[in-house]
Amino acid sequence: PTVRDAEGPRVTAARGAALGALVLAVAVVAVLLLRGDGGTTYKLRFENAGQLVKDDDVQVGGRRIGSIRKITLTDDNQAEITISVTGDYAPLHDGTTAIIRATSLSGIANRYVALTPGPNSNPELSEGATLGTDKTTSIVDLDQLFNTLDPKTRASLQQFIQGSATWYDHRGVEANAATKYFNPALSASR
């Protein structure tokens, strides 16, 4: 045998080991990505989904504890939101409530579900349990509020806002100085 023949099996074995390691790495990544987060799922019924989208946060006290997995419309025209809760907050307990909130006023689809967990002394909610509309609150958008006003009231509100803008124009220094007395003035009005 020549030197090439002697190295041939070692090179082939090294390539085989590298290929095996690559296959193993791909399998591990696939399992991690496809297995899900292992969370407990629940269904929340809202009168309005409030511009929620799949993968929006589910939070408790501002901390992400899960995500929205699915959004469907029920036969009675309610939004059914399937959420996944992970970590120490799963399982949820009876008495849990949910509300849709906005992360800020600067976006449209910037919503999340805020949970208020029920006491740990209450019975645990089973996997797939549904919180009805008596335990959930939809978000009220500002345009929904303005739509409740009649045209005359909306026009008056617009005039008030425009008048305030005119009054404050070039008076920023005075307005800032006046805010110092705003709290004492309100407190004295009692």
Side-chain angles (χ1 to χ4, degrees), residues 25 36 42 47 63 68 70 77 90 101 116 126 133 143 151 175 181 185:
Y42 302 97
E47 292 178 11
R63 180 178 170 211
I68 295 173
K70 185 177 175 186
N77 294 322
R101 297 200 183 271
T116 303
S126 60
T133 54
D143 59 346
Y181 302 104

Side-chain angles (χ1 to χ4, degrees), residues 140-182:
V140 177
D141 289 312
L142 197 54
D143 59 346
Q144 289 176 306
L145 175 67
F146 288 142
N147 287 340
T148 63
L149 305 176
D150 64 2
K152 183 179 176 184
T153 306
R154 278 196 302 265
S156 296
L157 182 60
Q158 286 174 342
Q159 289 172 353
F160 171 76
I161 291 170
Q162 289 170 351
S164 295
T166 301
W167 190 88
Y168 280 106
D169 193 25
H170 302 297
R171 292 188 177 141
V173 174
E174 293 93 351
N176 286 335
T179 58
K180 179 169 89 173
Y181 302 104
F182 190 63

Side-chain angles (χ1 to χ4, degrees), residues 16-190:
L19 182 60
L22 180 63
V23 168
L24 180 64
V26 169
V28 167
V29 169
V31 166
L32 290 175
L33 291 177
L34 299 177
R35 74 176 171 143
D37 60 0
T40 307
T41 59
Y42 302 97
K43 294 181 181 181
L44 310 174
R45 290 255 177 121
F46 290 94
E47 292 178 11
N48 178 337
Q51 300 174 8
L52 287 173
V53 294
K54 187 178 175 190
D55 294 326
D56 274 348
D57 285 355
V58 174
Q59 297 182 6
V60 170
R63 180 178 170 211
R64 180 183 166 102
I65 63 156
S67 63
I68 295 173
R69 294 291 175 213
K70 185 177 175 186
I71 302 172
T72 57
L73 186 64
T74 64
D75 292 336
D76 57 350
N77 294 322
Q78 292 181 344
E80 186 171 84
I81 313 298
T82 303
I83 64 168
S84 175
V85 176
T86 59
D88 296 336
Y89 291 94
L92 296 174
H93 293 84
D94 191 33
T96 298
T97 59
I99 185 168
I100 298 174
R101 297 200 183 271
T103 56
S104 71
L105 296 176
S106 63
I108 294 176
N110 60 347
R111 307 295 166 90
Y112 66 94
V113 174
L115 295 179
T116 303
N120 288 343
S121 59
N122 287 359
E124 292 181 355
L125 295 175
S126 60
E127 171 90 18
T130 300
L131 297 179
T133 54
D134 60 326
K135 302 281 186 191
T136 62
T137 305
S138 297
I139 194 166
V140 177
D141 289 312
L142 197 54
D143 59 346
Q144 289 176 306
L145 175 67
F146 288 142
N147 287 340
T148 63
L149 305 176
D150 64 2
K152 183 179 176 184
T153 306
R154 278 196 302 265
S156 296
L157 182 60
Q158 286 174 342
Q159 289 172 353
F160 171 76
I161 291 170
Q162 289 170 351
S164 295
T166 301
W167 190 88
Y168 280 106
D169 193 25
H170 302 297
R171 292 188 177 141
V173 174
E174 293 93 351
N176 286 335
T179 58
K180 179 169 89 173
Y181 302 104
F182 190 63
N183 183 21
L186 286 180
S187 297
S189 67
R190 290 185 213 164

Side-chain angles (χ1 to χ4, degrees), residues 3-21:
V3 174
R4 285 188 196 159
D5 291 335
E7 290 179 5
R10 275 190 259 149
V11 172
T12 304
R15 284 185 181 167
L19 182 60

